[in-house]
Amino acid sequence: MEALYNPWPWYVSGPLIALTMALLILMGKRFGMSSNLETLCSLSGAGKFADYFKVDTRPRRWNLLVVVGAVLGGFIGANFLSSDHQVAISDTSIEKLNLLGFKSAGEAYLPTELFSGEALSEPLIWGILLIGGFLVGFGARYAGGCTSGHAISGLSDLQLPSLIAVIGFFAGGLAMVHVLFPLIF
């Protein structure tokens, strides 16, 4: 049981991910999370308002199980399989986040300064979350997939566009953390 409470080493989790991706490729399936939002919008009737959502969702419906599994797995992992609720980040990162005003750094997975009930009463926080969510969603669809779709599925399928997208994700993340984040906060 102790093995379930601790992170798995790379030599266990890495081959399991590779095995899963090999099985998906052999079955002709692709893995990704951002395409599920498009599928849900299409199933909800968004095609009546935008041609973009007029797609055949039948081949994609199996991927909705990935979302259900991620939600259930996240809930079970956070509530029943986590013995230590502190976030494992370096002391240097905690100090830098504290200087930016994040006093919950190292104590909470989601910064309470952004995600607590009190923080959500501020219009600025709502604006930041809405603009950030829109940019992430737009970027994922514009790139033809999100980090899981390109980095896990696309790279395991040796796709050059996925390699370019992953390089862009890392460059964008570094620019966000080192340039934009200090300007916003």
Side-chain angles (χ1 to χ4, degrees):
M1 190 68 183
E2 189 63 30
L4 292 176
Y5 288 122
N6 295 316
W8 291 358
W10 66 267
Y11 52 83
V12 173
S13 54
L16 286 175
I17 292 172
L19 177 66
T20 302
M21 295 314 304
L23 290 173
L24 287 174
I25 290 171
L26 289 174
M27 293 187 317
K29 305 284 187 188
R30 290 178 184 249
F31 166 78
M33 294 301 274
S34 62
S35 61
N36 288 312
L37 179 61
E38 184 181 308
T39 302
L40 285 173
C41 289
S42 297
L43 289 172
S44 301
K48 295 175 186 172
F49 307 103
D51 290 340
Y52 177 79
F53 294 108
K54 290 181 180 175
V55 294
D56 182 15
T57 59
R58 281 176 282 175
R60 299 176 177 186
R61 289 182 185 172
W62 75 271
N63 209 11
L64 293 174
L65 290 175
V66 175
V67 174
V68 173
V71 170
L72 286 176
F75 180 80
I76 291 169
N79 292 296
F80 302 113
L81 299 176
S82 298
S83 59
D84 185 5
H85 294 285
Q86 287 193 332
V87 182
I89 56 176
S90 72
D91 291 337
T92 305
S93 296
I94 292 173
E95 286 177 27
K96 288 181 178 178
L97 288 168
N98 283 335
L99 289 174
L100 292 170
F102 291 94
K103 301 301 177 200
S104 64
E107 299 172 3
Y109 281 101
L110 297 175
T112 55
E113 292 79 5
L114 291 176
F115 294 99
S116 68
E118 183 179 306
L120 292 176
S121 65
E122 296 181 33
L124 175 65
I125 299 299
W126 275 101
I128 290 170
L129 292 174
L130 287 173
I131 291 171
F134 174 78
L135 290 174
V136 167
F138 177 79
R141 297 317 316 148
Y142 189 71
C146 60
T147 51
S148 61
H150 279 297
I152 297 173
S153 185
L155 288 182
S156 66
D157 203 17
L158 303 175
Q159 295 184 14
L160 180 61
S162 292
L163 177 62
I164 294 169
V166 169
I167 291 170
F169 294 148
F170 276 99
L174 289 172
M176 176 63 198
V177 168
H178 294 291
V179 178
L180 296 177
F181 198 78
L183 293 175
I184 295 172
F185 298 100

